Amino acid sequence: MVILKGEKRCEYFLAKQRPDGFIRHFVLTAVPFLGTEGELIGIVESFNDITDFEQAKAVIKTERDKLKRILGNLVEGVSIIGQDYVIEYQSEVSKRYFRDCLGQFCFKVMKQSDVPCEDCLMHRAIQTETIQMGEFVLSNEQNYEATYHPFTDLDGKKKVIVLFKDTTEIKAAMAAASRTKHLTILGELAAGIAHEINNPINGIINYAQILMDMSGESGQSWDVASRILKEGDRIAGIVNRLLSFARGNREGKLYVSIRNILLDSLTLTAIHLRRNYVIVKTDISADLPQIMAQPQELEQAF
């Protein structure tokens, strides 16, 4: 009917089911058949079997949808980068990492640079036809691990598929673990040194007490011995507090004096403060009420 109304050519897509249930797809093309005077004599119809083409389209669509689902469920971000440094594809995860950067240069997005990297892992992967790995940090302090997989695209050009993994939290956890290990080693070292100091200090205190007992309660010898005893006790107190701090005692909360804990903390840091020309003056009321707390934790906080 369309041809009869003056159309020069029309096409229709048809699907015909065979007796065995198989469906074949056709393109029906109709053109007018004109006489010598240009009058319409009839219609010429031709059928083109496109079953294989339609099946190939269905397979491609299925594989494309499958690939999208795979990429959508990957933890890593995926990008395709050409030899000209242009980003040609980004998965949704990659867009969350770096925003939508299609058509932009990879070195601009990942390295915040205006020129390509000197040792470009993308070019190295393509030239050596091997997988390359590297790490980089964005300006917002986000850490990423990148893996470059070389391949040849349908257009015959060499490109790389890049997998990006956000390692920011892993790096932070590793740094925290390293700091904890370092502090543990320092604590063990401090405890060892404190034990070594304790032995001669106890000897000094004992000798000072003997001198005091031999000198009576007056005279220069008694005065000197009492000063030695007082300073020895002070050193022993510092060592004990250092040991307690190093052990990180967590035996529970008890009623403690904030004043005493603060003074103990200042004793441990006094040398460091003096070395940095810091003068500390304290004015702490002696009748402050005791509180329920873990003393070592408060000492560490102070």
Side-chain angles (χ1 to χ4, degrees):
M1 293 299 294
V2 175
I3 297 296
L4 295 177
K5 292 180 180 179
E7 290 290 334
K8 299 300 183 183
R9 178 187 178 91
C10 60
E11 290 184 346
Y12 297 96
F13 292 90
L14 304 175
K16 296 292 184 180
Q17 185 173 5
R18 298 190 317 198
D20 60 1
F22 184 78
I23 298 176
R24 301 201 70 86
H25 298 269
F26 301 91
V27 175
L28 168 62
T29 304
V31 295
F33 180 63
L34 305 177
T36 55
E37 301 295 330
E39 74 279 13
L40 179 65
I41 297 177
I43 299 173
V44 178
E45 295 181 344
S46 62
F47 289 86
N48 183 20
D49 190 338
I50 60 169
T51 304
D52 292 342
F53 176 73
E54 289 296 318
Q55 288 178 336
K57 276 176 57 180
V59 171
I60 292 173
K61 184 179 183 301
T62 300
E63 293 302 317
R64 182 190 62 198
D65 293 343
K66 186 188 300 183
L67 179 59
K68 283 185 176 180
R69 289 195 298 272
I70 292 172
L71 294 178
N73 286 283
L74 282 178
V75 177
E76 294 86 357
V78 181
S79 293
I80 293 178
I81 303 175
Q83 290 192 79
D84 55 0
Y85 308 100
V86 174
I87 299 173
E88 299 181 4
Y89 169 81
Q90 277 185 290
S91 67
E92 291 303 317
V93 176
S94 178
K95 290 178 181 178
R96 288 201 299 271
Y97 285 168
F98 313 113
R99 64 184 170 78
D100 192 340
C101 302
L102 289 179
Q104 298 186 33
F105 292 123
C106 57
F107 52 81
K108 185 73 173 179
V109 174
M110 300 168 197
K111 299 295 181 69
Q112 297 83 54
S113 174
D114 294 325
V115 294
C117 307
E118 283 189 25
D119 185 18
C120 178
L121 294 178
M122 179 266 292
H123 277 300
R124 191 197 299 176
I126 291 175
Q127 291 169 0
T128 62
E129 296 186 347
T130 59
I131 296 172
Q132 300 293 319
M133 296 181 65
E135 295 182 346
F136 61 93
V137 183
L138 294 183
S139 56
N140 60 0
E141 302 302 322
Q142 291 291 111
N143 291 266
Y144 292 96
E145 182 182 274
T147 308
Y148 297 78
H149 301 258
F151 77 103
T152 303
D153 208 346
L154 294 176
D155 57 8
K157 294 181 179 179
K158 300 285 187 180
K159 302 177 182 179
V160 291
I161 296 176
V162 191
L163 298 181
F164 298 102
K165 184 177 181 181
D166 188 342
T167 58
T168 306
E169 292 185 2
I170 296 174
K171 293 284 185 182
M174 290 175 62
S178 177
R179 285 194 296 271
T180 301
K181 183 179 179 181
H182 184 63
L183 289 174
T184 301
I185 292 172
L186 285 177
E188 292 174 353
L189 180 62
I193 293 173
H195 279 299
E196 291 299 319
I197 294 174
N198 254 342
N199 293 328
I201 285 299
N202 288 332
I204 292 171
I205 292 172
N206 290 334
Y207 286 129
Q209 187 64 58
I210 292 172
L211 287 174
M212 288 179 64
D213 293 341
M214 293 173 60
S215 303
E217 295 185 2
S218 62
Q220 187 177 6
S221 297
W222 185 91
D223 184 58
V224 171
S226 66
R227 291 175 182 274
I228 294 173
L229 181 61
K230 180 182 177 181
E231 295 303 315
D233 285 337
R234 191 167 75 88
I235 294 173
I238 293 173
V239 170
N240 287 332
R241 285 193 291 276
L242 183 60
L243 275 172
S244 178
F245 185 84
R247 292 193 189 107
N249 190 4
R250 298 293 183 270
E251 293 181 352
K253 296 180 179 180
L254 61 149
Y255 283 103
V256 294
S257 166
I258 290 291
R259 182 177 186 276
N260 292 340
I261 292 176
L262 184 55
L263 291 176
D264 288 346
S265 301
L266 289 172
T267 301
L268 290 175
T269 58
I271 295 176
H272 177 73
L273 293 172
R274 285 199 300 270
R275 187 178 298 149
N276 289 278
Y277 307 102
V278 176
I279 299 173
V280 180
K281 294 184 178 181
T282 59
D283 182 11
I284 307 171
S285 176
D287 58 354
L288 287 176
Q290 291 190 331
I291 64 168
M292 180 68 75
Q294 215 296 325
Q296 279 73 33
E297 290 181 349
L298 279 179
E299 191 168 322
Q300 288 181 8
F302 289 147

